[in-house]
Amino acid sequence: MTSRYKPTRRWRLTADSVPYVLLAPFVVLFLIFGLFPLCFSLFLAFQAWEPAAGLSSMKFVGWENFAFALEDEWFWKSLSNTAWLALVSGVPQHLVSIPLACFIHNNFKRWRNAVIGAYFLPYITSTVAIAMMFSSLFSTDYGLINQGLLAIQNSWPWGSTPTPIDWLGQAENIKPAIAFVVFWRYVGFNTVLYLAALQTIPKDLYEAATMDGATAWKQFLYISLPSLKPMIFFGVTLTIIGGLQLFEEPFILTGGRGGTDQAGMTTAMYMYRTAFEFNDFGTASALSWLLFAVVAVLTWLTNRAFKPRGGGA
């Protein structure tokens, strides 16, 4: 008597199912680490919650967290500090990186990659390492920045007594020091963006302009700059978003406290302190959504500012 074996059915991928299988890991990770935290943060913004007491201790408080945040002096101070740092460190980034990219594009052919790599190096360097390095450079007594300034003051013909500057201890000096560090770190990143955009401009435009007698300045003003407009919009948008979310540099330079008179406390730092120091996760979530609203409005205004005149998209 012969036995019969039922053949095992093997699951095989079809051409239609392959894209879904390949996308599944990203979708799962996005749902767990992206969408869920976002939704939970929005839910938490309307709750009063202390994590140590467990999820059962959540209490719905409606708009109280938002009302408290809008009436909080520290929130407005942190927002003004953030706006100051974003403006003072962000605007010079583009004012320097655009002509710097043009200079590298026009004068460096063989060594262009090496030069742009040197400018890009601060962006890929660890933020903690950068902040610790500048903490040493900004040291009042032994920092190289003060030593250089004192050497310059000693060489002045008038006999003024040189005094070191307390960069990270005096309220009026904290924000300029942080802004300089942020500028130094991100100017190379913007230079790479503009250099990439410059390489897409057809050389025929410059050749025709040269034959017509246009100077290098006019070529920059009427060819390079208008062609860079889409990349300028992209770079400015990134600067606004990154500037309003500034956290690592001021956190490390001020020891996580914002410095004297909270002069270096940004909104992201205040959110962190509200959640993990004051143990108020509901208000911290409300602060995050208020900051999101500010970023969204400024991004929309930037889009309007760069929108082509005449009703173009």
Side-chain angles (χ1 to χ4, degrees):
M1 183 177 181
T2 58
S3 60
R4 296 182 180 180
Y5 295 93
K6 187 176 181 180
T8 304
R9 296 183 62 184
R10 295 183 179 181
W11 182 73
R12 294 183 179 181
L13 290 177
T14 62
D16 295 335
S17 61
V18 168
Y20 299 100
V21 174
L22 296 177
L23 287 174
F26 166 77
V27 173
V28 172
L29 291 175
F30 172 74
L31 292 176
I32 296 175
F33 298 103
L35 186 61
F36 171 74
L38 185 68
C39 296
F40 185 73
S41 173
L42 182 60
F43 170 78
L44 197 58
F46 298 93
Q47 309 288 327
W49 181 47
E50 293 186 7
L55 293 174
S56 60
S57 63
M58 283 189 180
K59 180 182 177 181
F60 180 76
V61 294
W63 297 94
E64 290 184 10
N65 290 329
F66 291 92
F68 175 81
L70 293 175
E71 296 175 357
D72 187 8
E73 295 181 359
W74 275 27
F75 168 68
W76 292 108
K77 185 175 183 61
S78 68
L79 192 60
S80 65
N81 291 339
T82 304
W84 193 97
L85 291 171
L87 184 65
V88 174
S89 66
V91 173
Q93 289 179 32
H94 300 278
L95 294 180
V96 171
S97 58
I98 291 176
L100 180 61
C102 292
F103 176 78
I104 295 174
H105 179 70
N106 295 327
N107 296 277
F108 291 91
K109 302 299 182 182
R110 182 177 180 181
W111 299 100
R112 179 185 299 168
N113 294 334
V115 173
I116 198 62
Y119 279 103
F120 192 72
L121 185 62
Y123 177 75
I124 61 176
T125 304
S126 170
T127 306
V128 177
I130 291 175
M132 292 180 65
M133 178 187 70
F134 275 97
S135 295
S136 177
L137 292 175
F138 283 126
S139 175
T140 304
D141 298 323
Y142 305 104
L144 292 180
I145 295 178
N146 271 340
Q147 293 300 318
L149 293 176
L150 291 176
I152 295 175
Q153 292 179 13
N154 286 325
S155 64
W156 287 351
W158 46 88
S160 59
T161 304
T163 56
I165 300 175
D166 189 1
W167 291 103
L168 301 178
Q170 295 180 347
E172 62 272 16
N173 298 327
I174 293 177
K175 283 199 288 289
I178 297 174
F180 176 79
V181 176
V182 176
F183 164 79
W184 176 84
R185 186 185 181 197
Y186 289 98
V187 66
F189 172 77
N190 289 292
T191 303
V192 172
L193 291 181
Y194 295 129
L195 183 61
L198 285 170
Q199 293 175 352
T200 63
I201 302 176
K203 296 181 180 180
D204 298 344
L205 297 177
Y206 294 101
E207 294 175 356
T210 302
M211 294 180 61
D212 291 339
T215 62
W217 168 248
K218 288 187 177 180
Q219 292 181 24
F220 168 77
L221 197 61
Y222 295 105
I223 298 178
S224 301
L225 203 57
S227 300
L228 287 176
K229 187 176 179 180
M231 187 59 73
I232 294 175
F233 167 64
F234 178 70
V236 169
T237 302
L238 290 181
T239 300
I240 291 174
I241 296 174
L244 292 177
Q245 294 178 342
L246 194 61
F247 177 80
E248 293 95 341
E249 292 86 353
F251 185 85
I252 299 174
L253 290 174
T254 62
R257 298 286 182 172
T260 305
D261 195 27
Q262 309 297 326
M265 184 175 65
T266 62
T267 305
M269 283 180 60
Y270 185 42
M271 289 163 45
Y272 174 86
R273 295 186 64 187
T274 301
F276 296 100
E277 185 176 338
F278 306 144
N279 207 27
D280 188 355
F281 278 70
T283 303
S285 297
L287 290 172
S288 67
W289 283 98
L290 289 175
L291 182 61
F292 168 76
V294 174
V295 172
V297 170
L298 291 179
T299 304
W300 178 79
L301 291 176
T302 304
N303 185 34
R304 295 288 298 177
F306 282 88
K307 187 177 180 179
R309 299 297 182 264

